[in-house]
Amino acid sequence: MIRQFGNRISGVSYIERPGAYAVIVNSTGEIAVIKAGIGYHLPGGGIRPRELPEEAVKREILEETGLVFRVEEIIGTANQYCYSLY
């Protein structure tokens, strides 16, 4: 089952942009987040053409934190509908 976040607006054309994000938990149960702009998000980002999700998330973690990680398991997939005027 693919979870849906946000609402699909009727009549709006969407561009699919695959992404991969990590849930990194330390020994005390804290979850890693990245502060960007006005909010926080999980480490990760867009998947490049011909890149596997596991490769993308490892690359994004390295870019955002400078740390090297290994992917232990995939815990889910989701679609997020975002609307932007830009």
Side-chain angles (χ1 to χ4, degrees), residues 21 32-45 60 63-65:
Y21 296 86
V33 294
I34 304 297
K35 183 175 182 182
I38 60 170
Y40 295 86
H41 61 85
L42 292 173
E60 288 285 346
E63 290 174 4
E64 294 172 358
T65 69

Side-chain angles (χ1 to χ4, degrees), residues 10-84:
S10 180
V12 173
S13 177
Y14 289 89
I15 298 170
E16 187 173 317
R17 185 172 181 261
Y21 296 86
V23 178
I24 302 169
V25 184
N26 70 9
S27 62
T28 62
E30 296 171 307
I31 297 173
V33 294
I34 304 297
K35 183 175 182 182
I38 60 170
Y40 295 86
H41 61 85
L42 292 173
I47 300 172
R48 295 177 179 165
R50 295 176 299 284
E51 186 176 47
L52 297 174
E54 296 87 353
E55 295 169 335
V57 77
K58 287 166 52 176
R59 175 183 50 75
E60 288 285 346
I61 292 169
L62 178 62
E63 290 174 4
E64 294 172 358
T65 69
L67 301 171
V68 176
F69 280 83
R70 75 174 184 279
V71 176
E72 292 190 6
E73 68 178 302
I74 296 173
I75 61 172
T77 61
N79 290 329
Q80 179 180 14
Y81 295 106
C82 299
Y83 183 75
S84 175

